[in-house]
Amino acid sequence: MNKKRLLIIDDDSRNIFALENTLRAKSFDCLSCLSAEEALKLLESDEIIDGVLIDMMMPEMDGYEAIPLIKKIPSRESTFVVAVTAQAMVGDKEKCLEAGADEYISKPVDVDKLLLILGKI
């Protein structure tokens, strides 16, 4: 069984560090980007990426703007995208899904819940 390769997009390197260490311990391979712009360039390449975890609240380009752009990349139309956000108010999940996310998880991330979501990849 090949390791699933995830791209973590977050403007806070501490969040990336925590997610990468947790997911690597669970046999995922991880790449990361500190901005949506950087991530889009990577996703336009032929880098193998099975899923994307994207922070919804970032400066310059947030997840709401980035997810539709990710899904417009011909080779990434079916890439599994998980919205990761501190926004856990009523309607936030629906807003993330409307933007094109396949799943949603709120911060602080519940690792067991995240692993169940990633099991769909």
Side-chain angles (χ1 to χ4, degrees), residues 7-11 16 31-36 38-39 42 58:
L7 174 61
I8 301 167
I9 310 165
D10 198 311
D11 61 313
I16 289 173
L31 297 171
S32 63
C33 292
L34 289 166
S35 71
E38 182 187 350
L42 179 69
M58 293 185 288

Side-chain angles (χ1 to χ4, degrees), residues 19-30:
L19 276 171
E20 277 187 347
N21 283 309
T22 301
L23 292 168
R24 283 195 173 122
K26 301 294 182 183
S27 297
F28 286 92
D29 190 15
C30 300

Side-chain angles (χ1 to χ4, degrees), residues 54-58 62-64 67 82-85 95-96 99 101:
I54 185 168
D55 180 25
M56 296 306 283
M57 306 303 284
M58 293 185 288
D62 64 18
Y64 299 104
I67 292 171
V82 180
V84 183
T85 184
K95 190 175 171 190
C96 292

Side-chain angles (χ1 to χ4, degrees), residues 34-63:
L34 289 166
S35 71
E37 294 88 352
E38 182 187 350
L40 286 166
K41 286 180 188 145
L42 179 69
L43 289 163
E44 286 169 351
S45 74
D46 43 353
E47 189 78 47
I48 295 170
I49 295 170
D50 299 300
V52 174
L53 279 73
I54 185 168
D55 180 25
M56 296 306 283
M57 306 303 284
M58 293 185 288
E60 280 135 64
M61 184 187 301
D62 64 18

